[in-house]
């Protein structure tokens, strides 16, 4: 045994000495053409080997350059070691990658889905959230809203074709109402109707409230909360049909013209103020809320079934029967989830189409042949798509395990990962090809292939690390956003990009190595078990493709000539100026309407509401707390409407109070006590109110009960559990409709909404003579998002660009190059924002995510070129820029094209989310490529620093010929790596022999 060990040790020492001596000639691959000799000086460790060649010796490096060289060397060493391992054990690498990915993907079992807008797009811990929680603690949600607007059609039957208030039309509308009121819905074998089966039974679905009928009678519908002019006939079809003067009856609905505006669209009055016609009428129905939270979504199956099978079915049936006479615009509480969710789900087919397009494009461009012949890489195209899929499921699994929420907007992540992943695949494939220049496949044995795989990853590893790390950090910065959906999306993206980077350097490289062996052994693409006929064309090694030759012969000479540089700088200066202008003008808007599909009935309802009820806006509830203080300020509360008048034209934009948009239980109680107080035995003081707090609470409780005279106010007071104390009461008001037209589209005016919310809070805080109060509106919580989204955008983008600059500085290891790349990306982002303004896009919850994506994607196109420039040797910056474009320009352009083609299909989507994604991706790809392949090479040629010490000299290219591989193009760093690897391998062999 000792003899064997000594023998093995002797062989190892002998081999080491021979390899050390052979460093003077930098070993060549078998059967390679004879190359120019390079003198070397042997040093230890191998990384410090010095070389001499025909090129002038480099100038003495300063401290920054020395640090850059060491960083470059460290990154190169790291990836050379990984490349050696992966290429030596490709099947094991693939197995480990699959096992880890599948194991991580198991975390998707804990996927935390969240679809509630208030949990996705609303900043947490805001004033609006506090107000909402306080309001709901007193007044829990009680109703689901359904509404229909009926307008006159082409033949409405009246003298004025637009008048809907004819008896025939009203009869048709009443028939629709009766269908809504009486038709049954069935859920889990139980029948449900809108109104109760009998008066007082309360077994119906409607929200209980009084005042729905003009004349009190024992009709169940009179206890339901319904807002409709049909109340003047107590919703009785027979009464309407027997009415000889329907207009006189309709005029009993209100006392003055403003009372009619909430239910009659475009009403007309005679000189005496009597209603004579209207173009539309509105009917609103309210259901008792029975919702619960399931899997991140609020569900109410009983009411949702009634809304679909009764309300929507009745309105759609009426539309079919009266299409020529009447138009029906309708909305249900389930409408948004049906229409928006359906569009997103339906458009997910585009994800599948985009992956197919990406597969076809990558397959056609990754190899040197489009057909499945020698040089084709269709199997590697499939591997690239599989790489993205593995990274996606693994990243989603890990993100789910740590509790990140998953929302609808996360469905765009596959497109982001596809763009980044395919880009890395092109860079790696290009490195494999570059390392085979001048080397025929037949001359490569397995050892040579392993070395080439190691050198290829050493060449590509730094480049994909720069882009992956900058992408990861850009998204990680935005994961601190106050908007939960944005924060979660960016955290998901960061985790997925980490898996992309790791799997690209392992799984994809292993697949490339196997594919290279397949091509060397002349086996068929995708059908690797079958061999093909030997190609008679001589294989002289990998050659530059069409795009590389284009960059070398046409593109680079054009932009790097003196006129080309001047034109480039002027063009991008103008483009930047336009970008700055557009960025300043880009508004923050409430684009909630854009989420509605263009062919949705919700769109029709919104347009009808804007047309016929422009003064009707969002409800505002002013909540007063502390019963004792409420009693003390009773007179001021009863006359609160006087404080709300004259506020419709300026902030807070509160509509003029009337009987239908203003509801105040204190005003109602005061009127009731003045007329009926004595008859019911209430003792009042000189001011007309009960003389003490206890009597006040008892009187209010009796007045506002569901069967009491003030039944319509039953939901406006909050009493203690025993009914002896008044905890809070609310006064309902209404904002005017705050909309504006932006480039032909009607949008909710975010700026005025913010002003309205802030002015409302200021107004209420100034009421020091009243009980403590706070405002609440369902829209406040979204408006809080509008207030910060602009700040969030520029803060996150600014921090991301700064972080990207630092990461680029660390990985590229040169201040000048890092600065040029960072400035290039910053200019690109500004121009994207400017282009958004030009295209009519706004800053909203969707575009802000895509802007963060733009930072990550646009850095890829510049970082590859910048890093490649640093590893090109020589003192001629023009030549180095040209060589960088020829080397990696094709990979950058192919990666960009694959991303563009994958998302271009989304331009045909009906979903606002996907359409916006497609437009912004197209802008990012276009401007990113222009900056990376045109502006940055010019800037590097003008201001670029010296190359790394390990940089390869520029190749000399004759006119019309491909570059000739010279000895100088083989990095001494890589040769040292290979020597060390072989020494270690001999040692391992000796150990194995000794063990045997």
């Amino acid at each position: 045994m000792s003899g064997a060990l000594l023998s093995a040790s002797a062989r190892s020492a002998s081999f080491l000495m021979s390899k050390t001596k052979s460093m003077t000639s930098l070993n060549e691959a078998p059967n390679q053409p004879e190359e120019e000799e390079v003198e070397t000086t042997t040093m230890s460790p191998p990384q410090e080997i010095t070389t001499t060649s025909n090129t002038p010796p480099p100038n003495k490096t300063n401290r920054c350059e020395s640090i850059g060289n060491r960083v470059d060397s460290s990154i190169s060493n790291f990836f050379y070691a990984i490349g050696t391992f992966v290429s030596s054990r490709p099947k094991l690498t693939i197995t480990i990658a699959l096992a880890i990915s599948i194991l991580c993907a198991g975390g998707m079992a804990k996927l935390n889905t969240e679809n509630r807008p208030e949990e996705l797009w609303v900043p947490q811990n805001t004033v609006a959230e506090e107000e909402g929680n306080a309001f709901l603690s007193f007044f829990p949600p009680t109703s689901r809203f359904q509404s229909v607007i009926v307008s006159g059609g082409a033949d409405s039957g009246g003298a004025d074709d637009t008048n809907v208030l004819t008896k025939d039309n009203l009869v048709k509308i009443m028939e629709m109402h009766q269908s809504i009121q009486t038709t049954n819905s069935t859920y889990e074998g139980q029948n449900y109707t809108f109104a109760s089966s009998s008066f007082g039974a309360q077994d119906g679905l409607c929200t209980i409230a009084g005042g729905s009928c003009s004349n009190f009678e024992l009709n169940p519908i009179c206890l339901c909360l319904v807002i409709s002019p049909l109340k003047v006939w107590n919703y009785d079809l027979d009464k309407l049909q027997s009415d000889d003067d329907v207009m006189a009856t309709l005029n009993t609905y209100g006392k003055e013209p403003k009372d009619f505006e909430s239910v009659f669209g475009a009403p007309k009055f005679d000189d005496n103020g009597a209603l004579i016609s209207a173009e539309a009428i509105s009917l609103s129905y309210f259901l008792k809320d029975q919702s619960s939270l399931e899997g991140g979504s609020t569900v109410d199956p009983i009411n949702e079934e009634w809304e679909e099978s009764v309300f929507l079915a009745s309105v759609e049936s009426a539309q079919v029967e009266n299409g020529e006479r009447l138009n029906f615009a309708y909305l249900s509480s389930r409408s948004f989830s049906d229409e928006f969710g359906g569009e997103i789900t339906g458009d997910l087919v585009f994800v599948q189409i985009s992956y197919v397009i990406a597969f076809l494009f990558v397959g056609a461009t990754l190899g040197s042949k489009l057909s499945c012949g020698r040089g084709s890489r269709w199997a590697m195209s499939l591997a690239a798509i599989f790489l993205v899929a593995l990274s996606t499921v693994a990243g989603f699994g890990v993100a789910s395990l740590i509790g990140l929420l998953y929302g609808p907007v996360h469905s765009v992540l596959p497109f982001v990962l596809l763009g980044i992943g395919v880009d890395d695949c092109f860079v790696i494939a290009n490195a494999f090809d570059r390392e085979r220049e001048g080397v025929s496949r037949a001359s490569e044995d397995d050892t040579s292939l392993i070395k080439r795989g190691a050198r290829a990853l050493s060449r590509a590893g730094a480049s994909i690390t720069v882009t992956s790390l900058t992408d990861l950090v850009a998204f990680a910065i935005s994961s601190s956003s106050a908007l939960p959906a944005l924060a979660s999306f960016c955290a998901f993206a960061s985790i997925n990009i980490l898996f992309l980077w790791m799997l690209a350097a392992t799984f994809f490289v292993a697949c490339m190595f196997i594919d290279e062996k397949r091509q060397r052994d002349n086996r068929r693409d995708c059908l690797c078990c079958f061999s093909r006929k030997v190609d008679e064309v001589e294989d002289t090694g990998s050659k530059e493709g069409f795009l590389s030759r284009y960059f070398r012969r046409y593109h680079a000479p054009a932009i790097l000539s003196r006129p080309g540089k001047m034109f480039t700088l002027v063009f991008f200066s103008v483009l930047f100026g336009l970008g700055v202008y557009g960025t300043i003008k880009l508004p923050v808007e409430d684009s909630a309407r854009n989420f509605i599909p263009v062919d949705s009935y919700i769109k029709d309802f919104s347009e009808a509401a804007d047309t016929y009820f422009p003064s009707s806006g969002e409800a505002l509830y002013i909540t007063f707390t502390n019963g004792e203080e409420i009693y003390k300020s009773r007179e001021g509360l009863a006359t609160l409407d006087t404080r709300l008048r004259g506020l419709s034209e300026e902030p807070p934009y509160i509509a003029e109070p009337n009987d239908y948009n203003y509801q105040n239980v204190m005003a109602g109680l005061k009127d009731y006590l003045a007329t009926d107080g004595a008859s019911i035995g209430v003792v009042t003081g000189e001011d007309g109110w009960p003389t003490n707090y206890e009597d006040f609470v008892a009187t209010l409780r009796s007045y506002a009960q569901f069967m009491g005279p003030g039944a319509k106010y039953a939901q406006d007071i909050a009493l203690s559990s025993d009914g002896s104390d008044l905890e809070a009461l609310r006064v309902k008001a209404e904002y005017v409709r705050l909309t504006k037209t932006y480039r032909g589209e009607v949008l909710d005016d975010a700026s005025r909404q913010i002003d309205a919310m802030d002015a409302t809070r200021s107004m209420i805080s100034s009421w020091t003579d009243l009980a403590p109060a706070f405002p609440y509106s369902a829209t406040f919580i979204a408006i809080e998002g509008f207030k910060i989204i602009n700040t969030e955008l520029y803060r996150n983008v600014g921090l991301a660009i700064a972080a990207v600059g630092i990461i680029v500085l660390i990985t590229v290891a040169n201040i000048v190059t890092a600065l040029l790349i960072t400035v290039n990306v910053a200019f690109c982002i500004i121009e994207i924002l400017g282009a958004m303004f030009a295209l009519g896009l706004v800053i909203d919850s969707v575009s802000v995510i895509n802007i963060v994506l733009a930072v990550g994607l646009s850095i890829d196109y510049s970082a590859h070129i910048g890093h490649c420039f640093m590893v090109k040797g020589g003192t001629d910056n023009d030549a180095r820029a040209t060589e960088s474009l020829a080397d990696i320009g094709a990979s950058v352009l192919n990666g960009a094209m694959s991303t563009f083609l994958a998302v271009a299909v989304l331009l045909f989507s009906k979903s606002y989310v996907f359409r916006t994604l497609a437009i912004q991706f197209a802008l990012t790809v276009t401007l990113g490529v222009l900056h990376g392949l045109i502006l940055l090479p010019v800037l590097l040629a003008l201001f670029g620093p010296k190359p790394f010490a390990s940089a390869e000299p520029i190749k000399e290219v004759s006119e019309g010929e491909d570059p000739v591989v010279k000895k100088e193009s083989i990095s001494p760093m890589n040769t040292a790596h290979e020597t060390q690897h072989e020494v270690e391998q001999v040692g391992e062999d000796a150990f194995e022999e000794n063990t045997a």
Side-chain angles (χ1 to χ4, degrees):
M1 178 182 294
S2 59
L5 179 59
L6 290 173
S7 177
S9 299
R11 288 199 303 272
S12 297
S14 175
F15 179 82
L16 178 58
M17 293 177 63
S18 65
K19 293 304 293 184
T20 304
K21 294 177 181 178
S22 69
M23 290 292 289
T24 59
S25 59
L26 293 175
N27 286 348
E28 302 169 5
N31 298 328
Q32 272 190 284
E34 185 173 348
E35 296 178 343
E36 182 180 341
E37 184 176 350
V38 178
E39 298 179 3
T40 64
T41 303
T42 303
M43 300 180 67
S44 180
Q47 286 81 351
E48 297 181 8
I49 295 171
T50 59
T51 67
T52 60
S53 69
N54 293 335
T55 58
N59 296 328
K60 185 177 181 180
T61 59
N62 56 37
R63 183 177 296 274
C64 290
E65 291 171 345
S66 298
I67 293 174
N69 290 333
R70 286 198 294 270
V71 170
D72 176 64
S73 173
S74 299
I75 295 176
S76 178
N77 292 344
F78 174 74
F79 281 104
Y80 189 91
I82 292 178
T84 300
F85 178 88
V86 171
S87 299
S88 301
R89 304 165 182 85
K91 294 180 181 178
L92 176 62
T93 301
I94 292 173
T95 301
I96 294 174
L98 289 174
I100 294 175
S101 299
I102 294 172
L103 183 64
C104 292
M108 293 181 66
K110 293 187 176 182
L111 190 66
N112 178 24
T113 58
E114 181 61 74
N115 295 307
R116 292 171 293 171
E118 65 273 16
E119 297 296 328
L120 291 171
W121 301 110
V122 176
Q124 304 302 294
N125 303 317
T126 61
V127 175
E129 184 178 15
E130 295 175 3
E131 293 169 344
N133 292 336
F135 178 83
L136 294 176
S137 68
F138 294 123
F139 308 103
T142 56
S143 298
R144 292 171 64 91
F145 175 75
Q146 335 289 320
S147 183
V148 56
I149 298 173
V150 185
S151 58
D155 181 15
S156 61
D160 182 356
D161 285 346
T162 61
N163 180 29
V164 73
L165 302 182
T166 65
K167 186 171 184 177
D168 288 343
N169 288 341
L170 292 171
V171 167
K172 296 295 184 183
I173 296 171
M174 183 70 84
E175 289 174 348
M176 179 196 68
H177 164 82
Q178 291 202 326
S179 175
I180 293 173
Q181 176 183 335
T182 61
T183 303
N184 289 334
S185 66
T186 303
Y187 179 75
E188 293 186 347
Q190 181 78 28
N191 291 331
Y192 298 91
T193 56
F194 179 73
S196 300
S197 57
S198 61
F199 187 81
Q202 298 189 17
D203 58 353
L205 296 177
C206 69
T207 298
I208 302 300
S212 292
C213 295
S214 292
N215 302 306
F216 182 77
E217 59 182 41
L218 300 180
N219 185 344
I221 192 65
C222 294
L223 292 178
C224 292
L225 181 55
V226 180
I227 301 175
S228 165
L230 299 180
K231 66 180 282 187
V232 298
W233 294 285
N234 280 9
Y235 303 100
D236 189 326
L237 180 60
D238 292 336
K239 289 182 179 180
L240 171 59
Q241 291 177 327
S242 62
D243 191 341
D244 294 329
D245 191 350
V246 294
M247 290 307 302
T249 306
L250 282 173
N251 271 281
T252 64
Y253 186 84
K255 299 176 182 178
E256 52 183 318
K258 66 180 182 180
D259 296 336
F260 295 86
E261 293 177 355
S262 61
V263 293
F264 294 97
K268 294 181 181 179
F269 304 90
D270 62 16
D271 295 338
N272 298 320
L275 178 69
I276 56 175
S277 70
E279 295 182 14
I281 63 173
S282 171
L283 300 86
S284 300
Y285 302 84
F286 296 83
L287 301 178
K288 287 181 296 188
D289 184 81
Q290 304 179 61
S291 62
S292 61
L293 184 63
E294 292 183 7
S297 300
T298 301
V299 297
D300 190 345
I302 294 176
N303 283 329
E304 288 173 357
E305 177 60 33
W306 181 88
E307 290 166 357
E308 180 180 19
S309 61
V310 176
F311 177 77
L312 294 176
S314 297
V315 177
E316 290 168 356
S317 176
Q319 176 70 74
V320 172
E321 295 175 3
N322 305 284
E324 295 297 323
R325 177 184 294 271
L326 299 170
N327 296 319
F328 295 80
Y330 48 94
L331 179 71
S332 169
S333 288
R334 67 172 292 151
S335 296
F336 285 98
S337 59
D338 285 348
E339 296 292 288
F340 175 62
E343 284 299 323
I344 287 289
T345 303
D347 285 343
L348 288 180
V349 67
F350 288 118
V351 177
Q352 303 168 21
I353 295 174
S354 69
Y355 270 65
V356 171
I357 292 175
F359 166 72
L360 295 176
F361 180 82
V362 174
T365 56
L366 198 63
S368 59
K369 293 287 183 65
L370 179 60
S371 61
C372 290
R374 178 180 291 275
S376 68
R377 283 180 174 151
W378 287 99
M380 292 311 303
S381 176
L382 188 61
I385 301 301
F386 195 62
L387 160 70
V388 176
L390 276 181
S391 304
T392 302
V393 296
F396 274 40
V398 172
S400 301
L401 281 174
I402 62 179
L404 295 176
L405 62 86
Y406 178 88
V409 76
H410 288 61
S411 59
V412 307
L413 262 177
F415 297 99
V416 181
L417 301 176
L418 182 65
I420 298 173
V422 169
D423 179 66
D424 289 346
C425 292
F426 274 114
V427 171
I428 292 172
N430 175 70
F432 266 85
D433 289 339
R434 287 280 168 176
E435 292 297 332
R436 200 179 68 82
E437 290 178 348
V439 180
S440 65
R441 293 192 184 279
S443 67
E444 289 187 304
D445 56 15
D446 286 353
T447 301
S448 300
L449 268 177
I450 291 173
K451 293 178 183 179
R452 179 152 68 91
R455 292 198 306 270
L457 188 57
S458 178
R459 171 192 285 263
S463 190
I464 66 172
T465 298
V466 172
T467 57
S468 297
L469 195 55
T470 51
D471 290 341
L472 189 152
V473 170
F475 285 117
I477 289 291
S478 296
S479 66
S480 63
S481 171
L483 299 175
L486 176 58
S488 174
F489 179 91
C490 292
F492 260 83
S494 296
I495 296 171
N496 279 275
I497 290 171
L498 178 61
F499 275 98
L500 265 180
W501 174 70
M502 292 189 298
L503 291 175
T506 54
F507 172 81
F508 188 76
V509 171
C511 292
M512 278 293 302
F513 179 82
I514 293 174
D515 189 71
E516 289 297 299
K517 287 186 67 176
R518 171 196 66 80
Q519 296 203 53
R520 182 199 64 184
D521 297 340
N522 207 34
R523 295 196 299 270
R524 293 188 178 276
D525 197 359
C526 296
L527 300 173
C528 56
C529 294
F530 299 93
S531 299
R532 64 161 56 91
K533 294 180 180 179
V534 178
D535 197 341
E536 296 180 358
V537 179
E538 182 182 1
D539 178 12
T540 58
S542 177
K543 295 180 174 59
E544 285 191 341
F546 166 76
L547 285 177
S548 294
R549 293 195 299 273
Y550 158 75
F551 280 114
R552 183 186 299 279
R553 298 175 182 176
Y554 305 106
H555 182 87
I559 65 172
L560 297 178
S561 64
R562 183 182 296 274
K565 291 176 180 176
M566 293 178 60
F567 177 81
T568 298
L569 294 177
V570 171
F571 173 79
F572 280 95
S573 296
V574 172
L575 194 61
F576 176 71
L578 294 174
V580 171
Y581 174 81
T583 301
I584 295 172
K585 293 288 186 179
L586 188 64
V588 176
E589 297 294 351
D590 179 5
S591 59
R593 295 182 180 218
N594 291 335
F595 286 85
I596 304 171
V598 293
D599 56 351
S600 170
Y601 64 84
I602 303 177
K603 201 86 168 179
D604 298 333
F605 179 84
S606 298
E607 293 174 353
D610 292 335
T611 301
Y612 298 117
F613 301 98
S615 62
S616 299
E618 295 291 336
L620 166 67
Y621 293 96
I622 304 173
T623 303
F624 295 89
T625 59
N626 191 322
E628 293 281 0
E629 293 296 325
I630 290 173
Y631 176 66
K632 291 178 182 178
S633 57
R634 55 191 177 275
E635 192 62 33
L637 292 176
T639 58
L640 191 66
D641 60 316
T642 59
R643 305 188 185 210
L644 301 179
R645 296 191 184 278
L647 303 177
S648 60
E649 298 296 328
E650 298 292 337
Y653 300 111
I654 295 176
E656 294 298 317
N658 59 47
D659 290 346
Y660 298 98
N661 64 19
Y662 177 77
Q663 185 166 295
N664 185 349
V665 63
M666 295 296 286
L669 179 60
K670 180 180 180 180
D671 293 342
Y672 173 72
L673 291 175
T675 56
D676 299 309
S679 63
I680 61 174
V682 177
V683 179
T684 59
E686 293 181 0
D687 61 356
W689 292 93
T691 56
N692 57 66
Y693 174 67
E694 290 74 15
D695 289 347
F696 166 72
V697 173
T699 303
L700 181 62
R701 182 178 65 244
S702 175
Y703 169 72
Q705 62 182 327
F706 283 116
M707 302 298 291
K712 70 177 183 178
Y713 302 111
Q715 297 179 352
D716 293 340
I717 61 173
L719 299 171
S720 61
S721 57
D722 61 1
S724 62
D725 187 33
L726 176 64
E727 295 182 345
L729 65 81
R730 67 184 186 185
V731 176
K732 177 184 176 295
E734 193 174 89
Y735 288 110
V736 299
R737 187 174 290 270
L738 297 174
T739 60
K740 70 176 185 180
T741 302
Y742 179 74
R743 299 192 176 184
E745 293 186 14
V746 177
L747 299 176
D748 293 320
D749 193 332
S751 177
R752 289 202 296 163
Q753 287 179 338
I754 294 171
D755 292 342
M757 179 180 69
D758 292 343
T760 300
R761 289 171 175 164
S762 297
M763 176 187 68
I764 293 175
S765 65
S766 69
W767 293 345
T768 56
D769 58 323
L770 301 179
F774 63 87
Y776 169 76
S777 175
T779 60
F780 278 6
I781 205 158
I783 295 172
E784 290 279 12
F786 304 150
K787 287 186 69 174
I788 73 162
I789 196 169
N790 199 45
T791 303
E792 281 279 308
L793 170 64
Y794 293 110
R795 180 183 71 87
N796 289 339
V797 169
L799 288 175
I801 291 176
V804 161
I806 295 172
I807 297 301
V808 170
L809 176 60
I810 294 173
T811 51
V812 173
N814 184 274
I815 295 177
V816 176
T817 302
L819 181 62
L820 291 177
I821 293 173
T822 304
V823 170
N824 201 44
V825 172
F827 281 22
C828 183
I829 298 301
I830 291 173
E831 290 158 17
I832 290 172
L833 292 170
M836 286 173 57
F837 171 74
L839 294 174
L841 298 179
V842 298
I843 298 176
D844 60 15
S845 55
V846 175
S847 63
V848 71
I849 286 182
N850 291 335
I851 287 296
V852 175
L853 297 181
V855 176
L857 290 176
S858 59
I859 187 67
D860 291 3
Y861 309 124
S862 296
H864 286 312
I865 298 296
H867 179 268
C868 193
F869 179 82
M870 293 301 300
V871 298
K872 299 301 179 184
T875 57
D876 186 347
N877 281 356
D878 285 357
R880 293 170 62 201
T882 299
E883 191 65 25
S884 299
L885 287 169
D887 186 338
I888 207 165
S891 298
V892 171
L893 186 58
N894 283 331
M897 285 296 297
S898 63
T899 303
F900 179 82
L901 292 175
V903 300
V905 67
L906 297 182
L907 293 171
F908 301 98
S909 170
K910 296 179 181 179
S911 165
Y912 172 72
V913 174
F914 282 164
R915 286 200 316 273
T916 304
L917 169 71
I919 293 172
Q920 289 188 279
F921 256 54
L923 288 175
T924 301
V925 170
T926 302
L927 291 172
V929 166
L930 288 176
H931 278 261
L933 298 182
I934 298 179
L935 179 59
L936 184 59
V938 171
L939 295 177
L940 290 170
L942 293 173
F943 311 108
K946 293 190 296 183
F948 292 138
S950 61
E952 57 187 31
I954 302 300
K955 302 169 185 176
E956 297 180 2
V957 183
S958 302
E959 184 68 25
E961 297 180 0
D962 288 318
V964 178
V965 178
K966 295 184 179 296
K967 176 76 72 171
E968 293 87 356
S969 67
I970 301 177
S971 171
M973 186 77 66
N974 291 338
T975 306
H977 284 311
E978 293 166 8
T979 302
Q980 185 175 6
H981 170 74
E982 291 176 0
V983 171
E984 292 171 351
Q985 187 64 48
V986 170
E988 291 175 4
D989 293 342
F991 178 78
E992 292 173 359
E993 181 179 340
N994 175 52
T995 303

